[in-house]
Every structure is written in structure tokens, then in C-alpha cells.
Amino acid sequence: MPVMKGLLAPQNTFLDSIANHFDGTHSNFLLGNARGRYDYRIVYCSDGFCELTGFVRTEVMQKTCTCTFLHGAETSDGVMEQVHKALESQQEYQGEICFYRKNGNQFWCLLDIVPIKNEKGEVVLFLLSFKDVSESYGKSHHYIHEDERQEETDRCEFKTLSQLPHDGKQPETKKINAHFNVALNTFFIVPQESVIEGIRDVEFKISCHSMFQKPSVPEYKVASVKKSRFILLHYSIFKAMWDWLILLATFYVAVTVPFNVCFVSHSEGGDRLSLVTRSTTWSDIAVEMLFIADIILNFRTTYVSQSGQVVYDTRSICLHYFTTWFFVDLIAALPFDLLYAFNISVLQTSLVHLLKTVRLLRLLRLLQKLDRYSQYSAVVLTLLMSVFALLAHWMACIWYIIGRKEIESSDPVTWDIGWLQDLGKRLETPYINRTIGGPSIPSAYIASLYFTLSSLTSVGFGNVCANTDAEKIFSICIMLIGALMHAVVFGNVTAIIQRMYSRRSLYHTRMKDLKDFIRVHRLPQQLKQRMLEYFQATWSVNNGINTNELLHDFPDELRADIAMHLNKDILQLPVFERASRGCLRSLSLHIKTSFCAPGEYLIRHGDALHADYFVCSGSLEVLKDGMVQAILGKGDLIGADLPEHDQVIKTNADVKALTYCDLQYISVKALREVLRLYPEYGSRFSSDIHHNLTYNLREGS
């Protein structure tokens, strides 16, 4: 598998943008079709509107967006005529109107109508926002009747704002005029001394309106990726090379930090210590600068969200990095080498080396990238050998510390038989009085590494051996670790690689078959791109796992329980509330999953309908004669009610994916078979399915 790039195809994210645009108190909105002449059908209904009115989505969809189902005795016919005129002229409108909830309760609503255009500038949808103003309306309007207030307004000598120059911006004038009318109403209600304050309030609203325009409504179109040039793609070539550079720097830290702590900190001689320290200081500072630069780049690098989308937003990127690896990277990048700028003593130098061990936290980031690096067999073998060599290096550092402690011990017997003293005698550089002489640092390190590698891979050769009790105990631990390394790593290298690459091998096999098919049949470039995009996107979702094949060998009882868990969202629909558990288990075994890429047609007009679909994620649009009939989102059910006889169901519209969509579906044939097994529920299902479909695709419905 290549590096996870996320879902990158252009998508129509209009529905998500509208939901974010009208978040909070303005989340009560409808979308109406603007291309239906005198019949502006509702194509989308928000959850907030359902909570406000008491209607469910299936009762609202496909009704006229003038909301006649909310009308009642006190709904003003004059206001509704203005709404009709605004829809016909495709202009903005704002006004207050009396509506009625499903339970018959009255409420006053501030209705805001905004036309929505596509990339061609054509009005394709109407956005109707509903704000409940019953409380404020009742406080300011119950003192005077509407007709009396209108008569007083007509007799008023003030000019309305519609008479003021507005440079042809009629929608803006209407909004300002609405605020002014509210002030006029207040003029005839409040006491005389507050009139001046009311007029000042109107002037303040007008000035604020001109200064702070509300954000523009997004267009109904395929959204192009908007990425700042200062944002770094996580799958770019530069980022891949940078990751390898950071990987090398991490290995450098893992090697030098234990070496400096064990060998440099315990070496004698100020000149030799200064020389070794000075030789690594500049490289350590360079690594620190790399780690600091990596922190800065991580604040500007995209990532893949849990939904599979590539996140380009700077704020989201910073928040994601700040809550994941920021503190680990920050601690590992602390510039301890700057302490060398002060004239510190040898003891303080040892303390600095100990503080630098926190840089080993960068190895945790290496574990995060192992999955990415494990795609290639050469990389896997290289990492295994590197980890093995790194373990031997750490053991060699500990082995040297044990030898140093034996020499520095007060026991007059053991200090002269330790491995370091033995090595010094053979090299003719023995220790004198435990403080003078001894082998050089390079010789001691090479001998330590030789001993640990020979002990990890075999049982050693005796030329460097353990003499004291502490050295023998450590040798036993090394041999046990070596045996574990053989059993876990080296003895299973082939099995690890096969297991690691079985899925990748399957991916490449299927990809090669797909490319061979495209080449043999000479498919055009457009079809080729669609096939490759669909294959890669579906593989990233299910990783090539066929659920039906995977569960085929399981017992029916267990398979039904698993299927009910996997399909619990669709089985919780109201249409299945009256079904028995046995019926639900039978249905769950026939439910399958599907995936649809942006721009792909799920259903074509006039085709035979083979299944009913449930939208798990994403959004789709229903098109008829090029006009949007409905916009489907998460939780919507689309299909057709079943006729009495086994006749073919012809579809009456196209269904096209706007974004990447996960779907669950059950075939019409399987549905009929299950309903025949449960006839007591079959009749109930036939009557309920018509009211639970978000959009009925049966021709003539």
C-alpha cells in the first residue's frame, strides 16, 4: 500500500458548508429547488428545522418550500404573497410570519430567503432560514393590533428607507427597511421620551449593517482544494525526504547519547574529555536545529482525518499536532548543548549528558512511522538490523559502565580481575591505582561492542569474558536477550515479511490486473482515471477485505450477530421497528456495503431498481431533467416501495454522489424473500416504507 493520502478528489461539500454557516441558533433551514416553476420543492431539511416544527424529515421532503404545512389561521396572506414574489423573482427576502408546529402550537418566525447560485451564476437552490422570535415578538407587538399599527405608520410623516438612495441594491434596502419598520413599531408602543433613543438605535443598526456584512453563502458546485502555499503536503516528496533525514537524526541521537553518557562522562583527562565533547557538540547542535525545524514544519503539514479527508486548515493542523506529538518533540528538542557555552565542570558535563537522554523520546515517533516504512522489504530488513545493532550498542555502553564500576570499587580483589583491567593488561595499558592508565576510549568501545554482539548472536568466544559476579550476571542477561532476539526476530523474518506484505501483494496484484485490463481493452483516459480512482478509494476504505468471504465460514448464528452489529444503523430505521428479531437477523444477512466516489452515478433514470440504499456517510443529489430534486445526507433512505406483484421497478430520477459516500443496501429480491418468510410483518412494511423513504424512486410515485 502506498502512503495514505486521504480522499483527494474534488467534492461538492455544499451541505457541510451550509451546516457550518448556519450553526447554532440559525441551524433551522431548508433548501428548495429554484428551477421548478411555481413548485419549489424542498430538497433538504436540517435537523434543527425538524426540532423547531416537530415534523420529521420524511414528512417535509418534496413539499413546497413555502411551507404550506406550517400555515394556520393567523398566517398572513400578504406576507405569503411577498414570499411567492421573492421566489419567483429569485431575490432575497426577510420578514416575520406566524407559523404553526405539528402539534398545533403557534410561533412567530423570522424567515430569511437567500438564492444560491452555481459556478455558472445560475440560481439553483433557495436557502430558507427560520429563527424563532416568538418571545421577543410577543413583548414588542401585543400592545397594538397589526392593522392599527399599519394605519399609524401610513400617517407618519417620516420617510421610509425605501425612499432613500440605494444604488440599485434592492435586497440590502429590504433588510434595512425591515429594521426601520421595527423601529417605527416601537415608536408607537414605547413612551414618548424614548423615541429619540429608538431613532438612534435604527441609525446604529444601519451603520453596523453597512460595516459588517454577513458572510457570503457558498455556491452549489464542486469545491476545489484551497491550500495555502505555506502548507506542506504530508505525502509530498519533500516531506518524505525530510522524514528520512529526521529518521537518521533520531538514530544519531540514539547512538551518541548513550555513548556520551557512558564513555565520555566516565573518561579521565580534561584534554581528552574536551576533545571528544568538542567533536560532537556541533553535530548535536545541528540535530537540535533539525528537531526544532521539524516542530515548525509539523505545524504546517497536512494530515488525514478520521473520516479520510486531507485536512488543509491551518488551525486544525496546529490543534491536531498540539494534542498529539508536540510535547514529545519539544522535550526532545531542548538545546542542552547551549550549556557548554558556560564554563562548566566535568561533573556538570556528566549531568548535561544525562539530561540529553530525553532525546531518546524521538524513538517514539519512529514507532509511529514504522507502518509507513514497513511497505518495502529492504526497509524492513534495514530497520531490523539497525534495531539489533542499536541494542548491541546500548548493551556495550552498559558493559563498559559495569567494568568501570568494578575498577572503581573498594574491593581489593575484584578491581584487578575485571574485563577492563584484563583488556588493559593485554593491550599493555593497565590501570594503575584505579585512576591512571587503562585502554583508550575507542579500544574500550570496540571491545565492548564485540563482546555484546558475540553474546547476542552466540555464546561469546572467551577473549573478552566476564570475570566478576556483576559481569557474569550481565552476560547471562545478554544471552537471554540474544535467544529472544533469535526466536522473535531472526527466526521469523520470513514470516514477518510475508504477513506484512500479504495485503500489499494482493493490492499490487489487483492493480496490475486492472492496468492490464485497461491496456488490453484500450479504455479512454477518462474511464481509466475513474476506474483507478474508484479502486484506490475503495481499497483505502476496506483495505481489500471482502466481508462476505471473511464471514462465510462462520456459523450462521455468529454470522447473524456480527451482521446485525455491522448493520445496526440501517436496522434502527423506523420502518424496521415492528420487525421481530428473527426478521431483523434475516435482513441483516442480506445487507451489503457499497462505496460511491464524487461525480459517480449510483442510479440512472429509467433503470430497473435493484436495491434500497441507506446513506451512512457523505451526500448525494437526486436529479431529474437536470434539476435537483433532493439532497441526501447521512441517515437518509432512498429506494422505492414494493408493489404487490413481483414487477420490475423503474426509477424516475438520477442519483449522483456529491462526496465520497459509504452506503448500505439490501436488494429488492432479497427483501421480498425475507418478507415472504414473515408475512405478518410484510404487510406492515409495505405500508410503512412509503412514509420512511426520504425520496421515492419508483416511477409514477
Side-chain angles (χ1 to χ4, degrees):
M1 273 289 295
V3 177
M4 177 63 176
K5 295 184 179 181
L7 307 178
L8 302 175
Q11 306 183 54
N12 190 329
T13 56
F14 170 79
L15 202 59
D16 294 335
S17 300
I18 287 293
N20 295 331
H21 185 83
F22 288 92
D23 193 12
T25 57
H26 292 82
S27 61
N28 317 320
F29 66 93
L30 298 174
L31 293 177
N33 184 5
R35 294 188 175 183
R37 191 62 176 172
Y38 304 109
D39 188 16
Y40 307 103
R41 297 291 180 180
I42 297 173
V43 299
Y44 183 80
C45 169
S46 70
D47 295 335
F49 180 84
C50 296
E51 295 177 2
L52 176 66
T53 61
F55 289 90
V56 297
R57 182 178 294 180
T58 54
E59 296 174 323
V60 176
M61 293 289 288
Q62 294 304 301
K63 289 183 170 58
T64 176
C65 64
T66 55
C67 300
T68 55
F69 55 93
L70 298 179
H71 293 183
E74 296 189 17
T75 303
S76 174
D77 294 335
V79 175
M80 293 312 302
E81 290 181 3
Q82 295 178 11
V83 172
H84 280 287
K85 289 181 180 179
L87 294 175
E88 292 176 5
S89 58
Q90 297 183 346
Q91 294 182 351
E92 295 187 10
Y93 172 82
Q94 187 181 66
E96 293 180 346
I97 186 171
C98 178
F99 281 141
Y100 290 82
R101 295 184 173 89
K102 185 177 180 180
N103 57 11
N105 294 337
Q106 181 190 80
F107 71 99
W108 282 91
C109 177
L110 178 63
L111 176 62
D112 198 346
I113 301 177
V114 180
I116 296 174
K117 300 179 180 180
N118 57 13
E119 63 272 18
K120 298 179 181 179
E122 302 171 345
V123 177
V124 293
L125 295 172
F126 287 118
L127 175 65
L128 294 87
S129 175
F130 300 81
K131 184 178 180 181
D132 189 357
V133 294
S134 301
E135 184 177 355
S136 60
Y137 188 90
K139 291 180 180 179
S140 60
H141 290 73
H142 72 279
Y143 293 105
I144 193 165
H145 193 270
E146 182 180 356
D147 296 335
E148 296 176 359
R149 184 170 63 250
Q150 184 63 36
E151 292 177 1
E152 295 293 338
T153 304
D154 294 338
R155 290 197 300 267
C156 182
E157 295 181 358
F158 292 111
K159 292 184 179 181
T160 63
L161 291 179
S162 60
Q163 295 174 292
L164 298 177
H166 50 77
D167 298 330
K169 298 181 180 179
Q170 185 66 20
E172 302 296 332
T173 304
K174 286 186 176 181
K175 292 182 180 179
I176 299 174
N177 196 28
H179 290 299
F180 189 76
N181 287 335
V182 172
L184 288 178
N185 295 334
T186 308
F187 173 77
F188 296 108
I189 297 173
V190 299
Q192 190 68 25
E193 56 269 15
S194 59
V195 172
I196 302 300
E197 296 180 1
I199 296 177
R200 289 177 179 174
D201 183 60
V202 173
E203 293 175 351
F204 175 74
K205 289 182 178 180
I206 295 173
S207 61
C208 290
H209 188 275
S210 60
M211 293 173 59
F212 304 102
Q213 300 290 338
K214 72 176 183 179
S216 58
V217 178
E219 294 180 342
Y220 187 73
K221 64 178 182 179
V222 176
S224 58
V225 175
K226 296 181 180 180
K227 181 185 76 68
S228 171
R229 55 181 170 178
F230 300 106
I231 294 296
L232 182 64
L233 297 176
H234 69 280
Y235 55 87
S236 62
I237 298 177
F238 172 79
K239 188 61 170 63
M241 297 178 64
W242 178 262
D243 286 343
W244 278 106
L245 182 61
I246 294 298
L247 176 63
L248 294 177
T250 304
F251 270 107
Y252 170 82
V253 169
V255 171
T256 58
V257 169
F259 179 83
N260 291 333
V261 170
C262 298
F263 285 88
V264 177
S265 299
H266 291 82
S267 61
E268 296 89 0
D271 294 338
R272 180 169 57 179
L273 173 62
S274 177
L275 177 63
V276 176
T277 303
R278 195 180 304 113
S279 63
T280 60
T281 298
W282 292 108
S283 58
D284 290 346
I285 293 177
V287 169
E288 290 172 358
M289 298 303 295
L290 279 177
F291 288 165
I292 294 174
D294 184 57
I295 293 175
I296 297 174
L297 288 180
N298 284 329
F299 275 114
R300 310 295 296 179
T301 304
T302 61
Y303 71 96
V304 181
S305 64
Q306 294 182 351
S307 61
Q309 304 290 333
V310 176
V311 179
Y312 299 93
D313 180 61
T314 303
R315 182 177 179 274
S316 300
I317 292 174
C318 294
L319 184 62
H320 175 263
Y321 178 56
F322 192 80
T323 55
T324 51
W325 290 101
F326 171 72
F327 289 103
V328 174
D329 293 347
L330 181 63
I331 294 175
L334 292 176
F336 296 109
D337 291 291
L338 295 180
L339 297 176
Y340 290 123
F342 306 95
N343 294 324
I344 58 177
S345 63
V346 175
L347 181 61
Q348 291 172 330
T349 301
S350 303
L351 179 61
V352 172
H353 289 312
L354 289 175
L355 290 175
K356 289 163 67 173
T357 56
V358 298
R359 293 182 181 175
L360 298 180
L361 292 173
R362 292 290 303 192
L363 293 175
L364 298 176
R365 296 297 304 271
L366 178 61
L367 298 177
Q368 180 197 21
K369 295 178 170 52
L370 281 180
D371 182 61
R372 179 183 303 180
Y373 298 143
S374 64
Q375 303 170 34
Y376 310 99
S377 57
V379 176
V380 173
L381 293 176
T382 302
L383 288 176
L384 286 176
M385 295 304 299
S386 300
V387 170
F388 184 75
L390 189 62
L391 178 62
H393 169 74
W394 290 350
M395 293 294 180
C397 295
I398 299 175
W399 177 248
Y400 177 79
I401 288 294
I402 293 176
R404 288 290 309 175
K405 293 300 181 183
E406 292 292 344
I407 291 178
E408 296 172 358
S409 66
S410 59
D411 191 343
V413 178
T414 59
W415 84 271
D416 194 44
I417 64 173
W419 78 269
L420 267 179
Q421 178 69 305
D422 185 56
L423 177 65
K425 291 178 181 179
R426 284 189 280 112
L427 296 177
E428 298 182 354
T429 56
Y431 285 93
I432 302 174
N433 296 328
R434 301 175 181 154
T435 58
I436 304 175
S440 63
I441 289 180
S443 298
Y445 173 72
I446 293 174
S448 300
L449 187 61
Y450 168 78
F451 171 76
T452 54
L453 278 174
S454 61
S455 299
L456 287 172
T457 55
S458 60
V459 293
F461 299 100
N463 45 3
V464 178
C465 59
N467 298 321
T468 65
D469 292 340
E471 293 172 355
K472 291 177 182 178
I473 292 174
F474 183 71
S475 299
I476 293 173
C477 295
I478 291 181
M479 294 175 189
L480 292 176
I481 294 174
L484 182 63
M485 292 290 289
H486 276 283
V488 175
V489 180
F490 295 106
N492 296 282
V493 168
T494 303
I496 291 173
I497 294 178
Q498 288 180 349
R499 182 173 66 253
M500 191 176 299
Y501 291 102
S502 60
R503 189 64 55 188
R504 176 180 174 83
S505 177
L506 179 61
Y507 170 82
H508 284 294
T509 300
R510 293 185 180 178
M511 177 61 77
K512 185 178 182 302
D513 292 342
L514 180 59
K515 292 182 177 179
D516 290 341
F517 174 83
I518 293 173
R519 187 185 69 256
V520 169
H521 294 279
R522 299 179 180 178
L523 296 182
Q525 181 64 27
Q526 184 179 5
L527 281 178
K528 172 185 175 181
Q529 188 63 32
R530 289 172 60 187
M531 292 179 67
L532 293 176
E533 170 70 20
Y534 182 83
F535 173 76
Q536 292 179 346
T538 52
W539 188 277
S540 65
V541 172
N542 55 32
N543 205 22
I545 300 175
N546 190 323
T547 305
N548 295 327
E549 292 182 0
L550 184 65
L551 301 179
H552 182 267
D553 295 331
F554 284 84
D556 292 341
E557 180 73 16
L558 178 58
R559 190 154 53 94
D561 291 339
I562 296 174
M564 287 192 67
H565 173 75
L566 296 177
N567 305 311
K568 58 184 178 182
D569 291 336
I570 187 174
L571 295 177
Q572 290 176 355
L573 290 175
V575 70
F576 297 120
E577 285 182 352
R578 301 176 183 270
S580 63
R581 181 171 177 82
C583 180
L584 293 177
R585 292 166 66 86
S586 299
L587 287 171
S588 64
L589 293 174
H590 293 284
I591 297 175
K592 300 180 180 179
T593 59
S594 181
F595 182 81
C596 202
E600 295 292 335
Y601 282 87
L602 180 66
I603 298 171
R604 289 281 190 175
H605 179 242
D607 292 347
L609 183 66
H610 297 289
D612 290 338
Y613 295 88
F614 175 75
V615 183
C616 299
S617 66
S619 57
L620 306 95
E621 62 179 354
V622 181
L623 302 172
K624 189 173 184 180
D625 298 329
M627 295 189 299
V628 179
Q629 302 297 317
I631 299 177
L632 307 176
K634 180 180 179 181
D636 286 334
L637 182 66
I638 182 172
D641 48 348
L642 299 180
E644 297 180 358
H645 305 288
D646 295 346
Q647 63 185 34
V648 178
I649 303 174
K650 294 296 184 67
T651 57
N652 58 10
D654 297 326
V655 180
K656 181 181 178 182
L658 298 175
T659 65
Y660 288 98
C661 299
D662 292 323
L663 305 166
Q664 290 180 323
Y665 69 93
I666 180 171
S667 66
V668 176
K669 180 180 178 181
L671 186 59
R672 283 172 172 163
E673 291 177 357
V674 173
L675 294 180
R676 289 192 187 101
L677 297 176
Y678 300 91
E680 67 282 358
Y681 170 68
S683 58
R684 173 69 63 179
F685 177 85
S686 300
S687 60
D688 290 348
I689 186 63
H690 179 75
H691 303 287
N692 286 272
L693 286 171
T694 307
Y695 191 89
N696 196 334
L697 289 172
R698 184 168 59 85
E699 194 172 31
S701 62

